[in-house]
Amino acid sequence: MPLFGKKEEPKVDYSRLPQHIAIIMDGNGRWAKSRGLPRTAGHAAGAETFRTIATYCREIGIKYLTVYAFSTENWKRPMEEVSAIMGLLKKYLLEAITDMEKEKVRFYFFGDLSPLPQELRQLCQETQTRSAGYTGCRVNICLNYGGRDEILRAARTFAGQCAAGEKKAEELTEADFSGYLWSAGIPDPDLVIRPSGEERISNFLLWQSAYAEFYFTDVNWPDFSKEELRRALAAYQSRSRRFGGV
Ligand code: FPP
């Protein structure tokens, strides 16, 4: 209950944290609009929030963090906005490389990077390769990512292997299929967070979030704080996860 207008500090059990948190970083545009700023200022503020939250996740021991930075549908936005997001990603990655080496953070990209500006694409590939051997927190950045696109690509690859006689369709298991996705080899998200008051999945981790817990908040992403993350963690810990059982 709010005490004199202040929200109570959420109670988090740090020995029972989710392994994998996924976030739809939504509400940058509305945050900017409500301040009379251009949408790109919202993305710049959102990039800072990403830095704060990613650092905090690493500090408290979250093993996997996946964020939706740019979807396969986001190309429909005005060119200046797309360029601004690409520019922010480049700036962020260049800065992150130093931290990454210090903190042994692994960066990984989900999505087809081929349509990205060449410099950004190279930077993503280099960052991923350079950090591959690290053992710290793994941060997956979804860039030109779509859940349906991911599933379709996996199905095509598998169908191709069947046609070549390497695989048998009737032997495919869920675990095998997961291995064809960008997220191959990592656990599914336990907790999916969407700020900004929207309560949709928007083509994010469709296969992987089958049993995820969802946390929605009205706060726009640039205002999403460590305290808000603790609130999401406390909500997650209050749920009873049954995975279809009783
Ligand atoms: C959704 O808010 C946000 C995006 C499509 C872009 C997210 C990009 C960043 C936070 C910047 C760079 C990222 C990293 C990882 C450094 P919206 O624009 O749809 O907001 P609205 O719904 O209020 O318009």
Side-chain angles (χ1 to χ4, degrees), residues 77-242:
R77 295 183 176 216
M79 214 193 28
E80 314 81 74
E81 185 172 340
V82 171
S83 308
I85 296 176
M86 300 296 161
L88 281 166
L89 278 159
K90 194 173 130 199
K91 176 172 172 282
Y92 174 78
L93 284 177
L94 284 169
E95 290 166 6
I97 288 173
T98 325
D99 288 351
M100 178 179 92
E101 314 230 295
K102 210 164 54 196
E103 306 297 344
K104 305 293 173 224
V105 172
R106 282 171 294 169
F107 279 93
Y108 204 90
F109 295 87
F110 290 0
D112 175 15
L113 302 185
S114 58
L116 299 182
Q118 198 216 352
E119 234 183 309
L120 176 61
R121 192 174 65 234
Q122 255 176 12
L123 191 57
C124 294
Q125 283 157 348
E126 270 173 38
T127 312
Q128 186 165 306
T129 312
R130 270 172 75 172
S131 67
Y134 292 165
T135 50
C137 171
R138 179 166 144 176
V139 176
N140 305 304
I141 300 182
C142 299
L143 247 185
N144 189 29
Y145 171 88
R148 287 186 172 183
D149 179 61
E150 177 181 39
I151 293 169
L152 202 58
R153 283 166 190 270
R156 284 196 198 117
T157 306
F158 179 70
Q161 292 174 343
C162 289
E166 296 160 14
K167 292 275 155 84
K168 286 202 173 89
E170 62 279 11
E171 288 174 5
L172 181 71
T173 64
E174 289 187 8
D176 294 335
F177 193 76
S178 296
Y180 287 87
L181 304 175
W182 303 110
S183 55
I186 66 164
D188 286 341
D190 303 292
L191 172 63
V192 176
I193 299 175
R194 183 167 193 163
S196 89
E198 306 294 351
E199 301 189 354
R200 288 188 292 278
I201 186 94
S202 298
N203 209 8
F204 185 48
L205 304 178
L206 295 182
W207 173 276
Q208 299 87 337
S209 61
Y211 286 102
E213 296 296 328
F214 283 81
Y215 178 80
F216 300 111
T217 169
D218 287 340
V219 168
N220 286 321
W221 176 246
D223 285 333
F224 193 93
S225 58
K226 294 185 208 173
E227 187 181 340
E228 196 56 46
L229 183 72
R230 290 196 290 275
R231 207 161 281 128
L233 293 170
Y236 166 82
Q237 289 177 343
S238 72
R239 315 260 177 95
S240 149
R241 301 185 80 198
R242 293 184 295 280

Side-chain angles (χ1 to χ4, degrees), residues 25-30 39 43 46-47 50 69 74 77 89 92:
M25 304 185 290
D26 199 11
N28 296 345
R30 278 163 284 167
R39 292 178 57 80
H43 296 312
F50 167 71
N74 285 154
R77 295 183 176 216
L89 278 159
Y92 174 78

